[in-house]
Amino acid sequence: MIRRAKISEIPDILTITQACAKKMQENGIFQWNEHYPSEEAFIKDIERDELFVIEENNAVQGTIVISTVMDEEYKPIQWLTPNGNSTYIHRLSVHPDLQGKGLAQQLMDFAENFSKEKGFISVRLDTFSQNKRNQRFYEQRGYQKLGNIFFPKQSEHPFHCYELVL
C-alpha cells in the first residue's frame, strides 16, 4: 500500500535512506551522505503533504516525495513543458534488502498517476550522474535527460535532470 507518511515514521524512513546511502557508497556512488537526505527535509515534506511511503504489514519499505515546488537549482534547465504545472520527484528510496522486487516501479507508477489525476502535465526529477542504474530506470520509463545541475554539499559531480510529459 502507498499512502502519505506520518511524522512518527521519520525514524524508519531515515533508517531506509541511510541504508540506501551506505549501499550506494559501497558501490562507489556518493549520491547521498550525512547532509542528505536529512530529517529536516522529511519533516518539511510531511508538513507539505508531499511524502509518501510504501508499506507492507505495517512496515515502511520505501519512500517518495511528490512535490509541486520547483527548486532554485532547476531554473536554468530547458524543460520540455512550461514551468508551473509539473510535479517534482525527490528522495525515492527502497530499503536495500527489498530492492529488485518492483517497489520503486510501484512508487513511480503511483507518482505519475497521482500527477496525471491532479492535472499536472509532466513529472520532473534529477538523478546522480554517477548512478547509471537510476538513469536506466528513469530512461526505461520514458523520461528524457535534459541538462545538469549541481548540489555542492552532495557531490562535485553533476545531477542529470529528467522530465516525463504526461
Side-chain angles (χ1 to χ4, degrees):
M1 175 173 85
I2 299 174
R3 58 165 176 76
R4 281 195 161 80
K6 301 175 198 146
I7 199 92
S8 61
E9 294 170 320
I10 288 181
D12 296 333
I13 291 165
L14 288 170
T15 297
I16 291 168
T17 58
Q18 288 162 0
C20 289
K22 185 174 186 278
K23 182 175 183 195
M24 285 189 285
Q25 289 167 6
E26 287 167 1
N27 291 320
I29 301 167
F30 297 93
Q31 177 174 349
W32 286 358
N33 58 30
E34 68 276 9
H35 302 291
Y36 186 90
S38 68
E39 180 177 5
E40 294 77 22
F42 287 122
I43 290 169
K44 192 182 289 186
D45 296 335
I46 288 174
E47 288 171 351
R48 289 181 180 160
D49 265 346
E50 296 177 343
L51 180 59
F52 296 82
V53 294
I54 188 166
E55 70 167 3
E56 191 173 305
N57 300 324
N58 295 317
V60 175
Q61 299 178 323
T63 67
I64 191 168
V65 173
I66 308 169
S67 179
T68 56
V69 177
M70 180 170 156
D71 292 340
E72 282 294 315
E73 290 86 355
Y74 287 159
K75 290 193 173 164
I77 299 298
Q78 294 295 306
W79 298 101
L80 301 171
T81 60
N83 290 336
N85 199 14
S86 301
T87 56
Y88 298 86
I89 303 303
H90 300 292
R91 296 179 279 291
L92 173 63
S93 67
V94 172
H95 194 285
D97 295 346
L98 302 169
Q99 291 177 3
K101 298 180 181 201
L103 297 175
Q105 295 282 7
Q106 289 176 49
L107 285 162
M108 286 304 297
D109 289 345
F110 175 84
E112 291 161 10
N113 290 331
F114 177 90
S115 299
K116 201 179 287 186
E117 286 168 12
K118 300 281 185 196
F120 292 96
I121 57 173
S122 75
V123 178
R124 298 173 177 179
L125 54 88
D126 67 79
T127 194
F128 191 44
S129 60
Q130 307 302 296
N131 193 334
K132 304 297 182 203
R133 182 178 174 207
N134 277 12
Q135 291 170 53
R136 277 192 306 277
F137 174 77
Y138 294 120
E139 288 166 7
Q140 287 170 351
R141 295 188 65 86
Y143 285 76
Q144 288 183 257
K145 190 187 323 181
L146 300 173
N148 293 330
I149 58 175
F150 290 85
F151 294 104
K153 280 188 176 175
Q154 282 177 258
S155 176
E156 63 190 34
H157 298 287
F159 286 72
H160 300 318
C161 290
Y162 285 86
E163 185 170 20
L164 176 72
V165 178
L166 298 172

